[in-house]
Amino acid sequence: MTRKRSTFWIHRWSRPIMAGIATIGAVVTAYLTYTKFTGNEAACPTKGCDIVLSSPYATVFGLPLALFGFLAYASIVVFAITPLLIKRDRELHSKLEKWTGLLLFLGGTAMMVFSGYLMYLLAFEIKTVCTYCIASALFSATLFILSIVGRDWQDIGQLFFTGFLVSVIVLVGTLGIYANIKNPNIANRSVSREAGLAITTTSGEAEIALAGHLKQVGAKMYGAFWCSHCHDQKQLFGKEAFSQIDYIECDPKGKNPQPNLCQTAKVQSYPTWVINGQSVVSTQSLEKLAQMSGYTGARNFKNSASSGT
């Protein structure tokens, strides 16, 4: 009797629970999409969130990966609640429950597989901790489990075979999407070239002197034309000074791209500075760059008021 009541409970409440989890996921991914578009820093207990957002893995088809996550979570919400809104027509309700149940399973499977791959990237490629990424992976795994235990399946073998096919398709597709990051030779087949936003600030004598010193000591800045944090860094130097910086464009679609150098340097986030053998990620204040490079000249940087740390 206890087992039957337990099963009845999960069947009854699985959809509202899934809708609730997916709603939270949609809100989080909507926030990350906004953060990516605006170039603002994410409200995160670690810097890992910003590192992930500025990495090449955070953009798919020129759009924030978080945007696709939002659409996935929003779809789960729709699939979960639609049958709950139509109860008077029992026949229609039964059909909707059947088909949306299958869609919930397929969607949950795809999201879990994709999130699993992102966890691999987080641990072994980007090598940082992103609270939002981990939370999304847990949400996806929970949605997958609820999609299975939330209803009675007549042919569980067929269900898992379908799930296996979806998993293979998602994994192959994901590897294909990120092939240009892992293999710059494939990415270089693109013929379009983007220069990114123009530098609108001017340089003072201190900025120019620091840029000259950074070039002298062999400092390199790795970035991408679409990276807002890279543009912030350029703005700190100003147009005249940044023209002296040894800047390496990592995106194959950018102007004068050198993705092979970025791969060799194992660059995972933009901008990445390499100075005297030391690497730092994200926008750096000119004062910080001066300290790292051993610069001893004037430090009355005119753009320092907006510099990062």
Side-chain angles (χ1 to χ4, degrees), residues 40-295:
N40 296 328
E41 291 187 359
C44 183
T46 68
K47 291 185 178 180
C49 301
D50 286 320
I51 292 175
V52 171
L53 285 175
S54 63
S55 74
Y57 298 103
T59 303
V60 176
F61 304 126
L63 295 171
L65 178 61
L67 175 60
F68 295 95
F70 168 78
L71 295 176
Y73 281 118
S75 299
I76 293 295
V77 173
V78 173
F79 297 152
I81 67 173
T82 298
L84 302 179
L85 302 177
I86 303 175
K87 290 187 175 181
R88 293 184 178 180
D89 189 332
R90 292 186 177 181
E91 183 177 355
L92 178 59
H93 173 79
S94 178
K95 289 182 178 179
L96 285 174
E97 191 171 59
K98 176 183 178 181
W99 286 108
T100 56
L102 178 60
L103 291 173
L104 285 172
F105 170 73
L106 297 179
T109 301
M111 292 172 68
M112 185 185 69
V113 172
F114 188 74
S115 293
Y117 181 75
L118 293 183
M119 287 299 98
Y120 160 78
L121 293 177
L122 199 66
F124 299 102
E125 297 292 340
I126 306 177
K127 297 179 181 179
T128 189
V129 176
C130 172
T131 306
Y132 294 119
C133 303
I134 295 174
S136 184
L138 292 175
F139 291 162
S140 298
T142 303
L143 290 173
F144 170 73
I145 294 172
L146 287 173
S147 71
I148 296 176
V149 302
R151 59 169 298 181
D152 284 324
W153 297 94
Q154 295 181 352
D155 191 342
I156 195 69
Q158 181 64 35
L159 178 71
F160 280 102
F161 177 73
T162 304
F164 172 75
L165 291 180
V166 170
S167 300
V168 171
I169 293 172
V170 171
L171 186 57
V172 171
T174 300
L175 294 175
I177 290 173
Y178 288 131
N180 63 330
I181 298 175
K182 303 297 290 183
N183 188 344
N185 292 324
I186 294 176
N188 271 327
R189 295 174 185 172
S190 175
V191 296
S192 63
R193 293 290 180 263
E194 301 288 345
L197 296 175
I199 302 175
T200 59
T201 56
T202 57
S203 308
E205 293 182 2
E207 282 86 356
I208 294 175
L210 173 61
H213 172 74
L214 289 171
K215 183 175 182 179
Q216 184 178 13
V217 300
K220 292 179 173 57
M221 174 183 162
Y222 298 84
F225 70 91
W226 45 262
C227 168
S228 59
H229 295 297
C230 300
H231 184 254
D232 292 341
Q233 187 72 81
K234 297 174 184 178
Q235 291 284 85
L236 290 181
F237 278 99
K239 185 175 181 180
E240 299 82 4
F242 192 77
S243 64
Q244 299 186 49
I245 296 297
D246 188 0
Y247 171 72
I248 300 174
E249 174 64 48
C250 295
D251 194 308
K253 294 183 180 180
K255 185 177 181 180
N256 301 321
Q258 302 180 77
N260 284 311
L261 295 181
C262 301
Q263 185 184 47
T264 300
K266 298 182 179 180
V267 174
Q268 300 296 340
S269 299
Y270 309 133
T272 291
W273 281 95
V274 178
I275 305 174
N276 295 331
Q278 181 181 1
S279 298
V280 288
V281 175
S282 193
T283 308
Q284 303 298 319
S285 68
L286 299 188
E287 182 67 30
K288 175 72 175 294
L289 294 175
Q291 293 175 358
M292 289 183 61
S293 64
Y295 172 71

